Amino acid sequence: MTAKAKDADVAPAEPAAARVVKMRDLPFHWHPRWYQAALWEALNERGVRRVDVVAHRRWGKDEVALHWAAGQAATRPGNYWHMLPTAEQGRKAIWLANNPHTGQRRIDEAFPLGLRRRTLDGEMLIELINGSTWQVLGAENADAARGTSVLGVVLSEWAEWSPRTWTTLSPILEENGGWAMFLWTPKGRNHATVAFENRKRQPETWFCLKSPASETGVFDEAGLAAARRGITDVLGEAEGGAQYAAEYMLEFDAATPGAYYAGALAEAEREGRIGRVPIDPSLPVETAWDLGIDDYTAIWFFQQAGREVRVVDYYETGGVGLDTIVREAIGGRDWLWGAHHLPHDVMVRELATGRSRYETLGGLGLRPIVAGSATDPEERINAARL
């Protein structure tokens, strides 16, 4: 399964070491593919400084970013970063990666040797003769950015990052008049999806592009079928189909690959069991809780009509006390309440107060409370699937 050669992004050229290149020649022996043209035009002609691109695998996201950063480094001396979730990913995917069409290293094509003052392999850093530096970094080093000056940042595989990283980088780029390029493929409906949908409503500031494999022609029908089969053969139809839908078709709401309940959710959706379910006022609403201490507290609301279980609402929060949770999740709903099902550790007494969360919740008016029993994780997961 390979991308179509006719749209190869780099034309055959002489070895990088033999090139006689000037700064004004960048990008050197490279042109954007037709489906990358809108992004390239937004950067070069419209002067967009904030870019968010969600595109399928093998689209060439990092390739565009490399050549854009090289041209910027040649034009405006400063520091530029190409960041991935980890430095090790950056070394493999960017620093050491070869272009399969030419056999040359990607970084050598974007940053010809004749324009460099030095190349530091250990630091994955290139210094150009005009004083600019370009470096591959991991997002785990983002906190080290505080107090530094950077003019351009590529945030590759953005869906796998901590969203807080951007809050560190954003003020630096705002002060310097720098640019940022977000590149990713979906990993479920997480921070990357939410940010993209919000940024689309700010066209005066952001250029946003969503480019699924069905629209670019990088893979023909046979190639897409082979890609899907390659995933489902390993992960199964439900989970593999969800991963294919996310990574190639860019479906934000595809079940997150690897999720415990991806298969069950996909089956429920295919059978029409997911939709808007009205609350039956004659039936009690019960709740099922996952109490979070270091993470989120989640509450499912459901009604039982015979053998049918109807999930009618959901609540999630983090970093707040039990009193706030009860007030927001329960207090504002004028429903006929049934039992509230909580995990077994609700009975554990807290050292600070000497009271259990069972007692605290009861004091807040949550009753009746049914505490579950400790069971094996696999047993709980299978019960939820059923």
Side-chain angles (χ1 to χ4, degrees), residues 2-3 124 153 210 229 244 297 321 376 382 385:
T2 58
M124 294 189 286
V153 177
K210 184 178 182 181
R229 187 167 58 252
Y244 172 81
T297 287
D376 179 78
N382 288 332
R385 284 177 175 144

Side-chain angles (χ1 to χ4, degrees), residues 61-71 82 94 106-107 110-111 134 154 181:
K61 300 182 288 294
D62 287 305
E63 192 73 32
V64 176
L66 278 172
H67 288 279
W68 166 250
H82 195 119
I94 303 299
R106 298 280 194 186
I107 60 172
F111 299 89
W134 174 86
V154 176
M181 186 181 297

Side-chain angles (χ1 to χ4, degrees), residues 291-293 322 342-343 345-350 355-363 369:
L291 284 172
I293 299 176
L322 292 175
L342 283 101
D345 55 4
V346 73
M347 307 299 294
V348 176
R349 295 186 181 276
E350 297 179 339
R355 304 181 68 200
S356 67
R357 282 177 284 178
Y358 178 92
E359 293 171 316
T360 300
L361 289 167
I369 297 175

Side-chain angles (χ1 to χ4, degrees), residues 164 260 289-299 314-322 325 343 345 357 380:
R164 293 182 179 84
Y260 290 130
W289 297 52
D290 179 11
L291 284 172
I293 299 176
D294 297 323
D295 56 1
Y296 290 98
T297 287
I299 305 174
Y314 175 76
Y315 171 88
E316 182 180 284
T317 191
V320 299
L322 292 175
I325 294 172
D345 55 4
R357 282 177 284 178
R380 297 199 303 268

Side-chain angles (χ1 to χ4, degrees), residues 224-248:
L224 287 175
R228 192 182 194 285
R229 187 167 58 252
I231 299 172
T232 56
D233 283 352
V234 175
L235 299 179
E237 183 61 34
E239 187 174 345
Q243 180 170 326
Y244 172 81
E247 296 189 352
Y248 287 84

Side-chain angles (χ1 to χ4, degrees), residues 42-81:
L43 292 166
N44 282 276
E45 298 181 24
R46 292 165 47 195
V48 174
R49 313 306 288 171
R50 297 288 183 271
V51 167
D52 194 331
V53 175
V54 52
H56 63 82
R57 296 297 181 195
R58 312 306 302 172
W59 190 90
K61 300 182 288 294
D62 287 305
E63 192 73 32
V64 176
L66 278 172
H67 288 279
W68 166 250
Q72 289 292 292
T75 303
R76 185 184 179 190
N79 303 316
Y80 299 85
W81 296 342

Side-chain angles (χ1 to χ4, degrees), residues 216-276:
T216 63
V218 172
F219 303 96
D220 55 23
E221 290 187 11
L224 287 175
R228 192 182 194 285
R229 187 167 58 252
I231 299 172
T232 56
D233 283 352
V234 175
L235 299 179
E237 183 61 34
E239 187 174 345
Q243 180 170 326
Y244 172 81
E247 296 189 352
Y248 287 84
M249 297 297 110
L250 311 183
E251 294 182 11
F252 292 159
D253 293 311
T256 305
Y260 290 130
Y261 309 117
L265 287 168
E267 182 180 354
E269 188 163 26
R270 282 196 303 271
E271 295 177 356
R273 292 189 281 118
I274 296 179
R276 297 190 64 83

